[in-house]
Amino acid sequence: MASVTSLSDSVQQHLATALSAALPDAGSADPLLRRSDRADFQANGILALAKKAKANPRELATQVVSQVVAGDVIKEIEVSGPGFLNITIADKAITENLSARYADDTGRLGVPYAAHPGTTVIDYAQPNVAKEMHVGHLRSAVIGDAVVHLLEFTGENVVRRHHIGDWGTQFGMLIQYLDEHPHELDHKAAQVTGEEAMSNLDRLYKAARKLFDSDEEFKTRARRRVVDLQAGEPKTLAMWQKFVDESKIYFFSVFEKLDMEVRDPDIVGESGYNDMLAETCRLLEESGVAVRSEGALCVFFEDIKGPDGNPVPLIVQKSDGGYGYAATDLSAIRDRVFNLKANTLLYVVDARQALHFRMVFETARRAGWLNEDVTAQQLAFGTVLGKDGKPFKTREGETVKLQDLLDEAVDRATAVVREKAEKVGLSEQEIVENGRYVGIGAVKYADLSTSAVRDYKFDLDQMVSLNGDTAVYLQYAYARIQSILRKAGEARLAAHPELELAPAERALGLHLDQFAETVLEVASAHEPHKLAAYLYELATHLTKFYDQCQVLSDENAPEVVENRLFLVDLTARTLHQGMALLGIRTPERL
């Protein structure tokens, strides 16, 4: 089915036509349409046009109004203040527009695809091999997953990349220890859980570190292993792979708990670009983008200076010949641009890495790998804070383990679900399943409802509350509609454009119509928090609708019941789709 033109777009077209008639020299003038508490929409663009044409804005607004064709879409239009236009939409237009969205058999609710889709490579969810994921990994995973859903929904070809930390000097210590204790990562059982895999790695890491710190001969052997690893010595690589495989068992268990799809082919760690590092350095040096300074290969920037006032370079290759993060990141850009044919590169990375990525992107631009047609952007995110407003730590001052945090969220949410289970008639299986959906949804929504660049407080009590701007509030709104639809039984759901709408019905309908443009805007700007805000406002309109407009009432005419059932069902579908784009489930019963 073709996409549905939104009411705001229809009004925009009507006003543009009227503006051209009233002011032929205006060209494609923007009427600056927006939602208003004084009418359904308000247009403010007349003021700027009048100033440009040296005309009286109120007189020009009156001329525009005289050119507007009222009827099917616009019910009323009037001049307000110095030259604003207040516009009221016809009830029939609202219902017909929603009916078209409801009839969309693709499940897209009339949302069009992006006008010019391309290929986006998004780098997110970057855990480290042989290390436990902590709360700091949460935001990259959750934000990145939501952006992936949004871009794919709008028709973008999305390539996921999980740039795991799987290379470096620390692996010399681990590999040497495993070589001397060869059965430490052997699995006695056919399978191990993610928790067991992490326990194995943690035990081995602590033992290796203790030996490394206390035994100089072991330390020497471990450092030789780093050289073997970088040279690609087969036995060393095979042991390194054991650490990677064991870590993946753990990674996948955490991502599954987060209700995220992470596929093995999408995991391309630091090691995946090893073969490109020397070539990357050669290209940068031969082009003059990078120069040798005290033996190191560096890129200098006049506008980036350190505390001493001297320029801060990006070190691509160290003076000892070793490669740093910059060489790997620049090689990854080459791979993503020239092999994956990306138009857009997105990096969901902590805001504290902003300077590094600023220098990497500028270097890639100077090298010609990035340009007007191929862009790179860091989707920076802030810090997860505790209730005290300080970086989130355990009582002992240690970093919070992500798995522990998720388990606690699910436990807390399950208790909330269990309190209402008897009233709703949930089975134990449903309680456990819904507890997981509510708990993980609460964690994700708390993150996604905050602008990514801002820090946010991690407060589980607030997150699982049925009141306020929480995932549970939205999930409960969806479940409440499903309860109404079950009670309705075989009752017909149908739009009736001839009916006059109550104020709460109009407000809900107009907000439902904004879903498509909200999704496209959010996907284009990579800002999931704006979709979360839209959904919360939708649930708020739904609550007012419940209070003011009974759906199943013997006092209502049959066509009113049918129209309201249609309206709440469309609301449920919109909530379900919107939450899915954020990576959050909507249980049928809560």
Side-chain angles (χ1 to χ4, degrees), residues 424-457:
V424 183
L426 297 179
S427 66
E428 181 61 26
Q429 181 180 345
E430 287 176 308
I431 293 171
V432 172
E433 186 177 79
N434 288 354
R436 178 172 173 249
Y437 293 158
V438 170
I440 299 302
V443 171
K444 288 184 175 183
Y445 187 84
D447 193 316
L448 295 170
S449 59
T450 304
S451 174
V453 295
R454 292 177 53 199
D455 300 340
Y456 81 96
K457 292 183 180 179

Side-chain angles (χ1 to χ4, degrees), residues 356-505:
H356 170 77
F357 279 101
R358 179 183 167 193
M359 292 194 291
V360 166
F361 295 160
E362 177 57 28
T363 298
R365 275 190 285 271
R366 291 181 185 181
W369 306 335
L370 298 176
N371 50 50
E372 291 182 1
D373 299 320
V374 184
T375 60
Q377 178 185 354
Q378 180 191 1
L379 301 185
F381 56 83
T383 304
V384 181
L385 308 176
K387 292 182 182 180
D388 58 1
K390 298 177 181 178
F392 198 26
K393 303 281 185 181
T394 64
R395 291 180 181 176
E396 294 75 29
E398 297 176 355
T399 302
V400 178
K401 297 177 181 178
L402 181 54
Q403 193 148 325
D404 292 346
L405 180 147
L406 297 177
D407 286 341
E408 185 180 354
V410 170
D411 289 345
R412 195 79 63 88
T414 302
V416 171
V417 172
R418 195 177 295 281
E419 284 179 14
K420 293 184 173 290
E422 186 175 343
K423 181 180 178 182
V424 183
L426 297 179
S427 66
E428 181 61 26
Q429 181 180 345
E430 287 176 308
I431 293 171
V432 172
E433 186 177 79
N434 288 354
R436 178 172 173 249
Y437 293 158
V438 170
I440 299 302
V443 171
K444 288 184 175 183
Y445 187 84
D447 193 316
L448 295 170
S449 59
T450 304
S451 174
V453 295
R454 292 177 53 199
D455 300 340
Y456 81 96
K457 292 183 180 179
F458 194 94
D459 183 348
L460 272 179
D461 291 328
Q462 174 58 30
M463 288 179 186
V464 298
S465 172
L466 287 168
N467 301 311
D469 189 5
T470 65
V472 195
Y473 176 64
L474 303 182
Q475 289 168 322
Y476 184 68
Y478 176 83
R480 192 173 181 184
I481 293 174
Q482 298 309 313
S483 176
I484 290 174
L485 296 175
R486 284 192 295 272
K487 288 177 184 175
E490 298 299 317
R492 183 167 173 261
L493 285 70
H496 287 273
E498 74 280 3
L499 289 176
E500 182 178 340
L501 298 176
E505 288 176 300

Side-chain angles (χ1 to χ4, degrees), residues 10 25 391 482 516:
S10 294
D25 295 334
Q482 298 309 313

Side-chain angles (χ1 to χ4, degrees), residues 113-170:
Y113 289 101
H116 303 289
T119 295
T120 293
V121 177
I122 178 167
D123 189 327
Y124 69 108
Q126 308 107 344
N128 294 309
V129 166
K131 289 186 180 179
E132 192 146 18
M133 292 175 70
H134 53 77
V135 68
H137 291 106
L138 177 66
R139 300 207 73 183
S140 175
V142 170
I143 295 167
D145 190 52
V147 173
V148 166
H149 289 313
L150 283 157
L151 289 173
E152 289 183 335
F153 188 72
T154 58
E156 185 78 356
N157 175 40
V158 179
V159 180
R160 310 172 192 207
R161 279 292 176 266
H162 308 297
H163 191 88
I164 64 173
D166 66 350
W167 205 248
T169 56
Q170 73 274 20

Side-chain angles (χ1 to χ4, degrees), residues 11 30 54 57 163 165 182 208 210 286 338 355 358 464 575 579:
V11 172
D30 187 352
K54 298 181 180 180
H163 191 88
K210 184 177 180 181
E286 288 182 355
F338 299 110
L355 178 59
R358 179 183 167 193
V464 298
L575 280 169
M579 294 287 269

Side-chain angles (χ1 to χ4, degrees), residues 322-375:
Y323 301 105
Y325 291 123
T328 304
D329 288 334
L330 287 163
S331 297
I333 288 176
R334 286 178 54 217
D335 177 62
R336 294 166 186 185
V337 172
F338 299 110
N339 295 333
L340 300 178
K341 308 299 181 185
N343 310 106
T344 305
L345 307 181
L346 298 179
Y347 294 77
V348 188
V349 183
D350 191 314
R352 288 170 292 188
Q353 298 295 319
L355 178 59
H356 170 77
F357 279 101
R358 179 183 167 193
M359 292 194 291
V360 166
F361 295 160
E362 177 57 28
T363 298
R365 275 190 285 271
R366 291 181 185 181
W369 306 335
L370 298 176
N371 50 50
E372 291 182 1
D373 299 320
V374 184
T375 60

